Amino acid sequence: VGAAVAGVATAFAGVSKAALDSVASLEQNIGGVETLFKDSAKTVIDNANNAYMTAGVSANKYMETVTSFSASLLQGLGGDTAEAARIADMAMVDMSDNANKFGTNMEDIQNAYQGFAKQNYTMLDNLKLGYGGTQAEMVRLINDSGILNEKIENLDNVSFSQIIQAIHKIQEDMGVTGTTSAEALTTIEGSVNAAKAAFDNFLNGSGSPEKLAESVITAGKNITNNLLQIVPRLAEELPKVGSLLMDSLSESLNSGKLNELMAVGGQIVSSL
């Protein structure tokens, strides 16, 4: 009983520390969002709280990423915080959709967007949309998207918000958009990632117990449904594999290779 109590106390202490760290990060992130987005900060925070489903990330991760490129975004929009909040959410969802669709590391995609905010296009190929990492290829992407209603030759008058919208249009045309929210409901990996993000939100108070329970139940259902398909298949097909292996082994032994195997074994023993 003493060992069990000690184990529970240790686990509770670990959760408490994780919660404290998450709360500290949340306070810092909210402060950054309020400074940058001012009257539209609540919109960004609300989007962050729902990002466990829409973008597969926690509120903390959402706000950290948004604040990393929001200065350039606001500059291109002339300080329009409401539009910046909308475009930032579009970018976050597009990043996650891209990662889920193509299996790209989310950090690589975030680095690409942060590079675009600084007029660095070398990581455009990280998005795997068929465009190389050059300024000319970004021009081609924007022209292909058609968001400007005209052909451009360079990026001199193109803002970061327009780049985000162009990428969104290309991904929309390719059927990439919406994959994160769909996977959060239907796939094991997507639902587990949503549950992890919801747990971090729960620890710092930005997410409710109901949202956490709902995401965990969804993940559990997806895991169970897949197991119900996998287990009967394995039960039926594994014996077939064993039978094929036994037939092959029997054939090998009948072909006289057993004598060769024993002879080689005898030589090894003799050498030892």
Side-chain angles (χ1 to χ4, degrees):
V1 171
V5 170
V8 170
T10 301
F12 186 77
V15 171
S16 298
K17 183 182 183 304
L20 191 62
D21 292 343
S22 186
V23 168
S25 296
L26 185 68
E27 289 177 343
Q28 184 175 5
N29 289 326
I30 288 177
V33 167
E34 289 176 341
T35 299
L36 290 163
F37 289 90
K38 298 180 174 57
D39 294 340
S40 301
K42 186 179 185 305
T43 301
V44 177
I45 293 169
D46 289 343
N47 289 338
N49 291 339
N50 292 320
Y52 75 99
M53 283 292 292
T54 60
V57 295
S58 67
N60 271 328
K61 188 63 178 176
Y62 181 99
M63 287 187 280
E64 284 174 11
T65 306
V66 165
T67 53
S68 70
F69 60 69
S70 56
S72 296
L73 184 59
L74 283 162
Q75 183 180 5
L77 292 169
D80 186 342
T81 56
E83 182 67 2
R86 185 185 74 83
I87 299 294
D89 188 61
M90 177 191 293
M92 286 300 301
V93 175
D94 284 345
M95 289 183 205
S96 185
D97 285 345
N98 188 290
N100 283 321
K101 188 69 173 180
F102 299 115
T104 311
N105 187 303
M106 182 66 165
E107 188 174 341
D108 291 340
I109 299 174
Q110 291 170 346
N111 289 338
Y113 272 75
Q114 289 164 6
F116 303 156
K118 301 171 184 175
Q119 300 179 339
N120 179 355
Y121 310 105
T122 56
M123 290 179 283
L124 176 57
D125 55 348
N126 286 0
L127 303 185
K128 298 180 180 178
L129 298 176
Y131 300 90
T134 66
Q135 181 171 323
E137 285 290 270
M138 180 59 83
V139 169
R140 184 166 72 90
L141 183 149
I142 292 172
N143 286 333
D144 289 347
S145 73
I147 64 155
L148 299 180
N149 298 318
E150 63 175 341
K151 294 291 183 180
I152 59 172
E153 299 295 332
N154 54 60
L155 300 172
D156 291 347
N157 298 314
V158 178
S159 67
F160 179 45
S161 65
Q162 290 171 324
I163 289 174
I164 292 175
Q165 293 175 75
I167 294 172
H168 176 77
K169 185 63 171 62
I170 294 296
Q171 293 198 165
E172 191 176 47
D173 292 344
M174 294 177 66
V176 176
T177 54
T179 53
T180 300
S181 55
E183 289 189 2
L185 294 174
T186 58
T187 68
I188 292 177
E189 184 177 4
S191 58
V192 168
N193 286 338
K196 289 178 181 178
F199 180 65
D200 187 64
N201 293 351
F202 171 73
L203 288 179
N204 59 44
S206 63
S208 66
E210 290 78 13
K211 288 184 177 180
L212 175 60
E214 181 183 345
S215 62
V216 171
I217 289 170
T218 300
K221 285 181 179 178
N222 289 331
I223 293 171
T224 302
N225 290 339
N226 278 275
L227 283 175
L228 290 175
Q229 296 177 30
I230 292 170
V231 172
R233 179 174 61 81
L234 291 179
E236 178 182 352
E237 295 180 359
L238 278 178
K240 294 180 182 178
V241 175
S243 177
L244 291 170
L245 289 174
M246 290 300 294
D247 290 345
S248 177
L249 180 61
S250 176
E251 182 181 342
S252 296
L253 294 177
N254 290 335
S255 64
K257 292 184 178 179
L258 179 60
N259 292 333
E260 295 178 19
L261 181 64
M262 293 185 67
V264 171
Q267 292 175 6
I268 292 174
V269 172
S270 177
S271 297
L272 290 172

